[in-house]
Amino acid sequence: MSTHSSHSHAAGVTHQAPLHGVRVLDLTRLLPGPMCGLHLGDLGAEVIKVEDTGAGDYAAEAVRQLVNRNKRSICIDLKQASGVALLLSLCAQADVLIEGFRPGVMARLGVGYSAVQAVNPKLVYCSISGYGQTGPDKDAPGHDVNYSALAGVADQMGTAQDLALSNVPVADLLGGTMTAVMGILAALFDASRTGKGRHVDVAIADGVLAHAVVPLAGVNVRGSTKPAGADKLTGELPCYATYRTRDARFVAVGALEKKFWDTFCDLIERADLKPLHHPLTPEQSQWVRDELSRLIGAHTWAYWRDKLDGADCCVTPVLKLEESLSHPQFVARGMVLPGVTAAGQPFVQFGSPVQMTDFDFAIRHPAPKQGQHTQEILLQAGYTHDEVDALLAQGTVA
């Protein structure tokens, strides 16, 4: 993969990344944990992806390539005592460890929090699991849809006709990834002051539940949530909905504020709709919705894209991702990084969404192959060439 940088300042000026000098051991697989390691790596941390000597991280290759940049990879067999000793020696030189196994697995392997704390009291140890390290469901299996379901969030996603699934797994990424990043950074800051690390226990279900503040407000006011499609942000209001265009694309109307609604009504030459910003009855609401459906459905997506360009009314054509990648706003922000794979195939990555002064985001390492840096990492950790050869020969590493 080619190396990119974005969000850069004046040519020739180099700034130290905010997490420069922080070493992270990332033992996770698939999506929530690797994305956590990705964000830390993008902010400058040295991230070592620790995989087993068998299947390793079995995420789809296209996903693996996107969520494991700015990492190096080592393969360690933790079922061997020598593998456990090796990981503990790496922990002694690290600041953070991230793991995503079911509760108790790391302890049974001999690398649980207490074992790691014994060799490095300052290390921040983050466990990401579906339901956390405690509670009656801690050992239950699950995926994004299950965590959202248990948290009452899936019940709020969709329309009056049906619930909806998202190809952006909200529970995994909001409840798992970002909650873990938040916890790790807080614990790292505290460790810098106290010299003592913490065990950060992240339950993906907790994380997505904690962000369901809008439905919870409804429970506090009414005693229950409204069904999907019946609350203000899911379809109750005609001024906050998506409408189909003539060519089966969509326009997103988000004119919650009266000033934006009035501007939109002027744009479509329907001043009579201005007093119906928030209809008083279901019948009024349906009539306004039908009118907007008819008006928007009479024209193509391209017509609305052009008509809405520059309109200050919170109404936006719904883009496909491949269209978003060429949108001037994202390009200007350095969020789209085109490149090629080693085989010469087109490969697009996202830039870092975190922009701050005196920080130049860069892709320092493309996503590694499994075990690509095993020898390099061991030598840098202080192992001799003979010791590395012995570990390779006995299958402790690969």
Side-chain angles (χ1 to χ4, degrees):
M1 248 47 97
S2 56
T3 300
H4 302 80
S5 65
S6 66
H7 310 165
S8 57
H9 300 282
V13 178
T14 301
H15 301 291
Q16 184 167 285
L19 293 184
H20 175 77
V22 173
R23 181 172 295 167
V24 178
L25 302 177
D26 180 1
L27 278 70
T28 64
R29 299 179 290 198
L30 299 175
L31 189 61
M35 278 292 290
C36 174
L38 170 81
H39 288 311
L40 298 176
D42 283 356
L43 290 171
E46 175 196 350
V47 182
I48 297 174
K49 184 174 180 64
V50 181
E51 304 184 67
D52 62 62
T53 54
D57 184 348
Y58 46 85
E61 183 62 21
V63 174
R64 179 188 170 102
Q65 290 292 324
L66 288 172
V67 302
N68 287 291
R69 70 179 180 214
N70 285 336
K71 302 178 187 180
R72 295 182 297 158
S73 173
I74 182 173
C75 288
I76 304 176
D77 184 359
L78 292 178
K79 294 181 180 178
Q80 293 189 33
S82 55
V84 171
L86 170 57
L87 181 62
L88 289 175
S89 73
L90 294 178
C91 287
Q93 303 175 29
D95 301 286
V96 178
L97 180 147
I98 314 168
E99 62 93 5
F101 296 102
R102 288 203 204 184
V105 170
M106 289 288 281
R108 289 194 293 273
L109 289 171
V111 286
Y113 177 60
S114 59
V116 171
Q117 188 184 39
V119 300
N120 186 354
K122 194 176 180 180
L123 183 136
V124 173
Y125 190 111
C126 180
S127 298
I128 306 173
S129 62
Y131 303 105
Q133 303 297 301
T134 60
D137 289 338
K138 65 183 180 67
D139 295 318
H143 289 291
D144 176 89
V145 66
N146 307 114
Y147 312 136
S148 288
L150 189 71
V153 171
D155 177 66
Q156 295 293 293
M157 298 166 63
T159 66
Q161 287 71 42
D162 206 355
L163 298 182
L165 296 175
S166 171
N167 205 27
V168 179
V170 175
D172 279 350
L173 297 175
L174 176 63
T177 295
M178 298 313 298
T179 304
V181 170
M182 175 174 63
I184 288 169
L185 294 180
L188 265 179
F189 177 71
D190 185 58
S192 71
R193 297 183 301 180
T194 66
K196 183 178 180 181
R198 296 173 184 259
H199 186 185
V200 180
D201 173 11
V202 173
I204 299 174
D206 289 354
V208 72
L209 174 68
H211 287 87
V213 292
V214 175
L216 181 59
V219 171
N220 287 336
V221 171
R222 298 183 301 269
S224 64
T225 57
K226 290 184 178 180
D231 215 335
K232 288 184 177 181
L233 299 185
T234 63
E236 179 187 39
L237 296 176
C239 67
Y240 198 86
T242 56
Y243 293 90
R244 189 181 296 268
T245 61
R246 190 175 74 196
D247 50 351
R249 297 288 298 274
F250 291 90
V251 169
V253 177
L256 281 174
E257 293 83 4
K258 185 67 164 60
K259 64 179 181 179
F260 295 130
W261 176 251
D262 288 350
T263 300
F264 179 56
C265 291
D266 289 337
L267 185 74
I268 61 176
E269 299 179 356
R270 288 296 302 268
D272 61 306
L273 296 179
K274 289 184 178 181
L276 300 176
H277 179 223
H278 286 190
L280 298 178
T281 67
E283 292 75 22
Q284 270 190 343
S285 182
Q286 188 60 50
W287 182 80
V288 175
R289 187 176 290 106
D290 290 343
E291 287 296 292
L292 291 181
S293 294
R294 182 181 61 80
L295 284 164
I296 294 174
H299 300 284
T300 65
W301 179 88
Y303 169 88
W304 288 109
R305 177 199 59 201
D306 296 341
K307 189 173 183 66
L308 292 165
D309 186 31
D312 191 22
C313 59
C314 292
V315 181
T316 313
V318 176
L319 273 61
K320 297 180 180 180
L321 179 58
E322 55 268 30
E323 295 167 336
S324 300
L325 296 178
S326 60
H327 193 282
Q329 175 65 20
F330 295 124
V331 173
R333 297 278 294 175
M335 283 304 301
V336 182
L337 306 178
V340 293
T341 67
Q345 298 299 315
F347 181 76
V348 179
Q349 300 185 67
F350 296 129
S352 172
V354 179
Q355 299 197 25
M356 64 180 75
T357 54
D358 297 334
F359 169 50
D360 297 324
F361 163 69
I363 298 178
R364 306 182 306 281
H365 308 287
K369 295 181 176 65
Q370 183 181 358
Q372 179 178 341
H373 304 98
T374 293
Q375 296 186 55
E376 174 185 307
I377 291 168
L378 292 176
L379 291 170
Q380 289 179 350
Y383 287 82
T384 67
H385 285 279
D386 288 343
E387 289 171 331
V388 172
D389 290 341
L391 290 169
L392 287 166
Q394 65 194 36
T396 300
V397 298

